[in-house]
Amino acid sequence: MKIAVYPGSFDPVTNGHLNIIERTTKIVDKLIVAVVVDAKKSTLFSAQERTEMIKEATKNIEKVEVKSFSGLLTDFVRKNKANIIIRGMRAISDFEYESQLALMNKRLAPEIETIFLVTCSKYSYLNSSIVKEIANLNGNISQWVPKIVEKKLNTLFLNKKT
Ligand code: ADP
């Protein structure tokens, strides 16, 4: 059985992430989307909020489970009896960090393979930070994020301004 883990901060989840999730479910038996709790970078949304948003956005996609985790990714992958790590590759700029991460994980857990999915071109410039910035400036983010995220971000920034 092919079980994959797609880890990330997902602060918040975007249509770029969802595209990777959907495509991965076509090649694995089960996909666990793993939300990093103690991310190095400080996050706008709590781990619970980030998890809830992904759950809502993926409720109609089969084979997807959403969990949060802290500690070593390879430990989490092993604990869940998975053997694949999925990462998205947007541009060459992602390559250095992503390959470093994959090589480290390979040393830590040789039985686990990292698979990279190249983003589809319409999301290649998309990341969570840009979406947050646009929402904060009252821009329309509906083409980049699922409905639940749009609602959450707009409410959050509206409340901050009042
Ligand atoms: P991290 O903090 O681990 O980089 P992110 O939530 O930013 O977490 O991203 C998780 C994964 O999703 C990473 O592999 C990243 O390259 C990928 N990703 C992020 N945005 C996109 C996108 N627009 N298209 C495809 N993959 C993406």
Side-chain angles (χ1 to χ4, degrees):
M1 176 136 148
K2 283 193 224 101
I3 304 177
V5 171
Y6 178 33
S9 353
F10 305 105
D11 185 42
V13 66
T14 68
N15 290 344
H17 295 126
L18 291 173
N19 178 262
I20 298 286
I21 292 171
E22 272 174 20
R23 288 161 56 202
T24 303
T25 58
K26 304 211 168 92
I27 52 173
V28 301
D29 300 301
K30 178 166 137 187
L31 173 64
I32 301 167
V33 181
V35 178
V36 183
V37 174
D38 46 359
K40 278 179 287 176
K41 36 191 180 185
S42 65
T43 55
L44 179 65
F45 293 107
S46 69
Q48 197 188 335
E49 288 174 304
R50 286 178 277 141
T51 307
E52 290 305 319
M53 283 187 275
I54 304 173
K55 278 189 180 161
E56 173 62 28
T58 60
K59 66 179 180 205
N60 294 324
I61 310 176
E62 264 180 72
K63 305 183 194 169
V64 176
E65 216 175 282
V66 189
K67 291 183 176 180
S68 58
F69 80 103
S70 50
L72 265 186
L73 172 62
T74 44
D75 288 345
F76 176 83
V77 173
R78 280 175 169 161
K79 221 164 54 200
N80 284 278
K81 305 202 175 342
N83 41 16
I84 302 165
I85 294 171
I86 297 290
R87 294 290 285 177
M89 190 76 84
R90 278 162 296 190
I92 294 291
S93 49
D94 276 342
F95 182 81
E96 194 170 349
Y97 174 70
E98 292 292 344
S99 55
Q100 210 173 30
L101 207 66
L103 289 169
M104 286 303 288
N105 286 331
K106 194 76 189 159
R107 287 299 283 240
L108 289 166
E111 80 281 12
I112 300 170
E113 290 297 344
T114 298
I115 296 182
F116 296 104
L117 264 67
V118 174
T119 184
C120 77
S121 56
K122 66 177 169 179
Y123 300 131
S124 62
Y125 56 88
L126 177 58
N127 67 47
S128 303
S129 308
I130 293 178
V131 165
K132 284 182 278 191
E133 216 170 299
I134 295 173
N136 191 23
L137 297 168
N138 297 325
N140 182 349
I141 54 169
S142 59
Q143 59 183 305
W144 295 301
V145 292
K147 271 265 166 290
I148 176 76
V149 172
E150 184 187 4
K151 215 164 92 189
K152 271 260 191 191
L153 274 175
N154 287 340
T155 311
L156 188 86
F157 288 125
L158 204 71
N159 287 342
K160 271 192 179 164
K161 281 167 196 159
T162 50

